[in-house]
Amino acid sequence: MIEVKNLTFSYGKDKQVLHGFNFTVGDGEIFGFLGPNGSGKSTTQKILTGILKGHGGYVSLFGRDISIAHTQDFFEKIGVLFEFPYLYANLSAIDNLKYFSSFYPANQLRDIGEILEKLEFKMDFIKKPVSSYSKGMRQRVSMARVLISSPKLLFLDEPTSGLDPSGAVLFRKIIEEERKKGTTVFLTTHNMLDADLLCDRVAFLSKGTIAALDTPKRLKEQNSNHRIRIDYLYQGRREEKTLEILELERGIPFQHDEIISIHSEEPTLEDMFIQYTGRGLS
């Protein structure tokens, strides 16, 4: 679906921001592209979506070189959710979606009412101007705008931004449903929970290079300290012990009346992000 070889880009003579990226994204894959601010995420996404030209190296989408693929049928296959809602504030949700739908063939379009209902949009606001919406409601309309054309490739930038926890769960469910239909998803986010739960693979960016690329599970396992923490009760008191995994394989090596919980001490994806990029999520 996406192939990138030795991708470079510079903003002027002394401002090179991409230093030779190499990666591929398979059909139906959810691929996380994660990095601190200024690491090259937005630049890469703009190149992949055809917004930014003048890159070095080779980039192809749908098996076509991006530098010569800027045709109407090419753009009809992709959907882009920007970090900040891209909507006309003086128009309603319905009018926004009707306007954006006009750019696509009728046989490609989904029903506006059905998709807003799926996104749990508050229908009493459906004809009110976007300027009166909360950030979460605007995000729902923005996602509807992206999905309305049934794209084969989705570029999602911070898709759960502005949503409450239940809204974030809903969006993750919808993204998974799109993937089950065969849609490929290129996800950029600072939300490591989204990345961990959704992504088949993630790439960590650092200073214009890819510092690590693997599945979230393998990244965490490769950096695990192979220890577990056991909380238990003994003689009426709650106790805690940390053991090497090999110790546990021979049985619990201490007296106890009841095991309350057992947790591995493997790092989180956020821990891995900081380790590979050297920076936090801000």
Side-chain angles (χ1 to χ4, degrees), residues 189-218:
T189 183
H190 284 122
N191 188 321
M192 291 298 111
L193 180 61
D194 284 351
D196 203 354
L197 293 175
L198 286 171
C199 294
D200 299 297
R201 293 184 300 147
V202 296
F204 287 144
L205 279 64
S206 179
K207 299 177 181 178
T209 63
I210 294 180
L213 197 166
D214 211 329
T215 68
K217 182 179 180 180
R218 280 199 290 264

Side-chain angles (χ1 to χ4, degrees), residues 151-199:
K152 301 297 183 184
L153 174 58
L154 280 173
F155 290 92
L156 303 181
D157 191 0
E158 303 291 352
T160 60
S161 175
L163 299 175
D164 59 23
S166 64
V169 170
L170 173 66
F171 267 44
R172 287 194 290 267
K173 178 183 176 183
I174 288 171
I175 293 167
E176 281 282 10
E177 288 175 353
E178 291 301 309
R179 185 256 286 279
K180 288 177 181 176
K181 297 176 184 176
T183 306
T184 303
V185 181
F186 189 89
L187 174 69
T188 56
T189 183
H190 284 122
N191 188 321
M192 291 298 111
L193 180 61
D194 284 351
D196 203 354
L197 293 175
L198 286 171
C199 294

Side-chain angles (χ1 to χ4, degrees), residues 232-244:
Y232 63 98
L233 291 176
Y234 181 57
Q235 295 183 346
R237 292 183 304 178
R238 182 168 181 145
E239 304 283 353
E240 177 186 301
K241 283 191 182 294
T242 299
L243 303 174
E244 300 290 335

